């Protein structure tokens, strides 16, 4: 399995923090936003779904990795496994609600630079999740492929010999899906582009524009030239008189 780069903070950083009464017990109210048991459990489920979509891991396998014995969990998942423990998740989620409330109150969330950053991050997430979903719809894995993939894993990796058939199939499915995803990625991207109207400006020389490096105002500011101090010329030291020839 590929390495997991997403931290819990990133996974839940796009949630909505404004909650109304939902009929479940209120844990506490943070600047008027009610944190209830239902809103907390919904956030937890959303984090699982986000992880599943962004890392291309089936949600049932994400849940399995959270509940199985640690020895059966892929090494790459162990760190996130700890972050998804109920108490740890609540502490982080609660902390984020408090900080976001403070940020909103100070006007931080309304700053134009922060809005642009959030917009860019939202675009990155949508890009990844939409393409992953479109790829998923194109991939079909047969029972025969799973069986063959499982046999290859057992032959290649000694530790795979101790896996149950279901676990072996899950591992084989992940590998097959990864391979097929790479195969169909370009065609999926091309198909997506066909659904969007793109009109190029023929008067704009894109190649010329891209050939120019970015200019950074912060780096282009020249420092004021330093004025060198004018020093008086040092008096020359007379050369010593030659010694008399004896």
């Amino acid at each position: 399995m590929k390495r997991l780069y997403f931290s819990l903070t990133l996974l839940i950083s796009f949630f909505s923090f404004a909650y109304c009464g939902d009929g479940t017990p209120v844990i506490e109210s943070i600047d008027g936003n009610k944190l209830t048991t239902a809103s907390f459990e919904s956030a937890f489920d959303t984090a699982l779904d986000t992880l599943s979509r962004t890392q291309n891991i089936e949600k049932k396998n994400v849940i399995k990795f959270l509940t199985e014995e640690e020895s059966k969990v892929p090494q790459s998942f162990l760190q996130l496994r700890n972050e998804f423990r109920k108490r740890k998740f609540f502490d982080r989620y609660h902390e984020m609600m408090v900080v976001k409330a403070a940020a909103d109150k100070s006007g931080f969330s309304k700053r134009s630079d922060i809005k642009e950053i959030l917009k860019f991050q939202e675009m990155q997430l949508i890009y990844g999740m939409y393409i992953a979903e479109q790829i998923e719809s194109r991939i079909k894995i047969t029972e025969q492929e799973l069986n063959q993939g499982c046999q290859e894993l057992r032959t290649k990796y000694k530790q795979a010999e101790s896996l149950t058939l279901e676990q072996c199939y899950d591992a084989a499915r992940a590998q097959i899906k990864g391979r097929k995803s790479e195969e169909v990625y370009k065609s999926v991207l091309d198909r997506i582009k066909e659904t969007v109207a793109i009109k190029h400006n023929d008067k704009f020389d894109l190649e010329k524009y891209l050939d120019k490096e970015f200019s950074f105002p912060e780096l282009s500011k020249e420092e004021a030239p330093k004025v060198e101090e004018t020093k008086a010329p040092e008096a020359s030291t007379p050369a010593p008189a030659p010694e008399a020839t004896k």
Side-chain angles (χ1 to χ4, degrees), residues 52-69:
S52 169
R53 290 173 179 270
T54 55
Q55 296 298 316
N56 197 22
I57 307 172
E58 291 186 41
K59 191 173 180 179
K60 67 174 185 177
N61 287 334
V62 173
I63 295 173
K64 186 187 299 183
F65 293 153
L66 293 177
T67 55
E68 280 189 333
E69 295 178 13

Side-chain angles (χ1 to χ4, degrees), residues 2-228:
K2 62 184 177 180
R3 182 181 174 186
L4 300 176
Y5 294 97
F6 278 72
S7 67
L8 181 62
T9 300
L10 180 59
L11 285 172
I12 61 180
S13 61
F14 297 95
F15 296 168
S16 170
F17 293 86
Y19 298 109
C20 302
D22 51 27
T24 61
V26 175
I27 300 173
E28 62 186 10
S29 179
I30 301 174
D31 263 7
N33 294 325
K34 293 181 180 179
L35 173 57
T36 66
T37 56
S39 64
F40 167 64
E41 290 166 12
S42 175
F44 185 84
D45 186 64
T46 301
L48 292 179
D49 195 34
T50 306
L51 178 62
S52 169
R53 290 173 179 270
T54 55
Q55 296 298 316
N56 197 22
I57 307 172
E58 291 186 41
K59 191 173 180 179
K60 67 174 185 177
N61 287 334
V62 173
I63 295 173
K64 186 187 299 183
F65 293 153
L66 293 177
T67 55
E68 280 189 333
E69 295 178 13
E70 191 169 297
S71 59
K72 297 180 180 179
V73 177
Q75 189 71 25
S76 57
F77 201 89
L78 288 178
Q79 183 177 352
L80 276 177
R81 171 187 167 97
N82 292 330
E83 292 185 10
F84 270 95
R85 295 191 185 282
K86 190 174 184 179
R87 186 177 298 277
K88 181 78 174 287
F89 186 93
F90 177 82
D91 289 343
R92 172 62 68 183
Y93 185 62
H94 174 268
E95 185 178 276
M96 291 181 67
M97 284 192 69
V98 171
V99 172
K100 186 176 187 302
D104 290 345
K105 186 182 293 185
S106 70
F108 178 84
S109 308
K110 295 181 179 180
R111 278 172 32 185
S112 59
D113 58 334
I114 301 304
K115 286 183 177 180
E116 288 301 314
I117 291 172
L118 291 176
K119 185 164 66 174
F120 184 72
Q121 288 188 321
E122 180 186 31
M123 184 166 60
Q124 284 184 307
L125 269 179
I126 290 175
Y127 169 86
M129 290 192 294
Y130 185 68
I131 287 183
E133 186 172 279
Q134 296 303 305
I135 288 176
E136 182 80 20
S137 66
R138 292 275 302 275
I139 293 177
K140 306 298 179 194
I141 302 176
T142 66
E143 189 76 18
Q144 183 179 356
E145 288 177 311
L146 286 176
N147 185 48
Q148 182 180 345
C150 178
Q151 290 179 3
E152 290 175 356
L153 284 174
R154 292 189 191 280
T155 302
K156 192 173 182 180
Y157 302 104
K158 187 174 180 62
Q159 58 268 37
E161 296 176 0
S162 60
L163 297 176
T164 64
L165 184 61
E166 182 184 1
Q167 291 172 333
C168 191
Y169 272 20
D170 285 341
R173 183 180 291 105
Q175 284 204 345
I176 296 170
K177 184 185 289 187
R179 185 178 66 250
K180 289 192 173 187
S181 294
E182 292 180 1
E183 293 171 355
V184 303
Y185 172 78
K186 187 178 185 307
S187 61
V188 166
L189 191 57
D190 289 341
R191 181 65 62 86
I192 291 174
K193 290 178 180 178
E194 291 175 1
T195 66
V196 179
I198 302 175
K199 186 176 181 180
H200 300 286
N201 179 8
D202 295 332
K203 296 180 180 180
F204 181 75
D205 192 338
L206 179 59
E207 291 303 317
K208 183 178 179 182
Y209 170 73
L210 294 178
D211 282 341
K212 292 182 179 179
E213 295 293 336
F214 277 115
S215 60
F216 299 96
E218 294 83 357
L219 299 180
S220 62
K221 295 177 182 178
E222 297 181 357
E223 294 183 2
K226 295 180 179 179
V227 179
E228 295 185 3

